[in-house]
Every structure is written in C-alpha cells, then in structure tokens.
Amino acid sequence: MDDQIKITKTGNSEVIIKKSRFLGMAVNAENEEEVKELLGDVRKEHYSARHVCYAYSLGEKNPKLKFSDDGEPGGTAGKPMLDVITKSGICNILIIVVRYFGGTLLGTGGLVRAYTQAAAEAIENAEKKTVCLCNTYEIQTDYTDFEKIRFILESTEGVTYEAEYSDKVILKVTVPEVKATQLTDLVTEKTSGRADVVFKDQMVI
C-alpha cells in the first residue's frame, strides 16, 4: 500500500442544526474489540442521546468497513460517515456521532449533511501522522556476500537494518511493503540464493 494516515490524538466536533446537536469523535481503533469498548463508553456518557451512529475502517490492506445508522433513516448517518472515512485515506479509524434531537425533523438531506459535517470536522480536528506498511525480514549471509546485500539495502529508499556479527552476518531488515518483493528478489539474485531470507512480520510504522 501507499503511505496512509493514522490518528494519533482524538478529534472532536459539534454541529448544531435546528436545535439538534451532533457531537462527533474521530479516534484510532486497531480492532473490533476497541471499537466495542469505545462505543460502550460513548453510550454510557451520552445515555440520554437519541442516536449514537458510527462508521469504521479496520486494517491497512483490504480494510473491514462497517457502519450503523442507529435508528436514523437508512443511509442518512453511518454511510455518509463511512464515505468521509474512505475519502480521508486514514486507516484504523472509528467515527462516532452522537445526536441529541432538537424537536425538528431535518429530512434525509439535512441528516446526511449534518452527519457528514460532524464526521469531517472531527477528522479535521484530530492529530494525524503519515504511516507506512512495512515488512520485516531476517537475512543470514556469509561475509563474502555481506557487502552486496548492504549495498542493496542502502540503495533502497525507506529501508532500515541492524546487523549482528558472528560466524555469519544476521541482518534484521525493515522495508516498505511496496518494495519488499523487489528487495528480497534482488538479494536472492545477487547472492545466487546463498542468503537465507526469512519473513518475520508486517507492521505499520
């Protein structure tokens, strides 16, 4: 994947339309357990609110997408909030919008605009950073091939590594996922398969 954005500090918003209050929150969430916990906390805090709507995107590759209108007319709350998320490029994000009904019906168009605005402003007010999906590898090599591998690593943008020296050289390598296959294939080619390349993990950095 290309670089993505991640929320580092929760963003909040408040939109008031015809006395209805829409309180938005955009927060980082890594899994469904966190989503459930965060929703539970918000529902306890805003127990008297008419609706607690949400949308989320979990995972960097092929993210899991879900939303809830929580009693609002279908397609007027959760789906517009999810649209804001997908356009933002932010990964592992939960948006919750709490509505306190003001006594006046807003119509489907008014609801869509309100939930969209509350979600967008919550994201805008959140602190964010750019992140990269990376693969980590352990490469074991003889000293005769070490310089070839080091040249490859230092010539590939975004790669970091640590080396341990014993009877062999053990390299712990972190490489952006989009460049991982190219790098490992090149190491194998330039060492004629002598280097032992083992995939270890995948992480967001």
Side-chain angles (χ1 to χ4, degrees):
M1 76 170 191
D2 296 329
D3 288 351
Q4 290 192 349
I5 306 167
K6 193 170 186 176
I7 289 178
T8 56
K9 186 176 180 180
T10 300
N12 296 288
S13 65
E14 180 177 7
V15 175
I16 300 176
I17 300 176
K18 295 182 180 179
K19 297 184 180 180
S20 279
R21 294 176 67 217
F22 297 83
L23 305 177
M25 179 178 78
V27 62
N28 179 75
E30 297 293 330
N31 51 57
E32 290 184 304
E33 288 74 22
E34 287 189 20
V35 168
K36 185 177 179 180
E37 182 177 346
L38 288 163
L39 281 169
D41 290 343
V42 170
R43 287 184 173 122
K44 287 179 183 177
E45 181 181 355
H46 298 280
Y47 63 90
S48 62
R50 177 71 67 89
H51 306 282
V52 179
C53 305
Y54 67 87
Y56 64 73
S57 174
L58 302 178
E60 291 77 33
K61 296 177 70 174
N62 302 315
K64 182 171 185 178
L65 307 175
K66 188 174 180 180
F67 63 85
S68 169
D69 294 314
D70 193 34
E72 293 282 30
T76 63
K79 182 59 166 60
M81 291 158 59
L82 186 62
D83 290 342
V84 172
I85 288 175
T86 56
K87 291 175 183 177
S88 73
I90 298 176
C91 62
N92 293 331
I93 175 177
L94 166 67
I95 294 182
I96 303 172
V97 176
V98 176
R99 182 190 181 188
Y100 285 91
F101 184 55
T104 301
L105 296 176
L106 303 183
T108 56
L111 288 173
V112 169
R113 287 190 293 273
Y115 280 101
T116 298
Q117 182 180 346
E121 290 184 6
I123 287 179
E124 183 179 351
N125 293 333
E127 292 185 9
K128 301 170 283 287
K129 71 174 182 179
T130 301
V131 297
C132 176
L133 182 64
C134 293
N135 290 358
T136 59
Y137 296 89
E138 182 176 281
I139 301 175
Q140 293 192 29
T141 179
D142 293 328
Y143 282 86
T144 52
D145 290 320
F146 174 51
E147 289 301 324
K148 297 176 186 177
I149 296 174
R150 183 165 68 177
F151 178 78
I152 294 169
L153 298 179
E154 294 181 355
S155 300
T156 305
E157 184 180 359
V159 170
T160 60
Y161 70 93
E162 297 178 357
E164 297 178 4
Y165 304 95
S166 56
D167 56 327
K168 288 190 172 185
V169 181
I170 301 174
L171 298 162
K172 296 180 179 180
V173 179
T174 301
V175 55
E177 192 263 349
V178 293
K179 300 179 181 179
T181 299
Q182 177 184 351
L183 183 140
T184 55
D185 287 350
L186 192 57
V187 168
T188 300
E189 176 189 342
K190 294 301 182 182
T191 63
S192 299
R194 290 184 295 273
D196 186 19
V197 181
V198 179
F199 172 79
K200 288 294 187 179
D201 198 4
Q202 193 170 70
M203 65 185 70
V204 173
I205 298 177

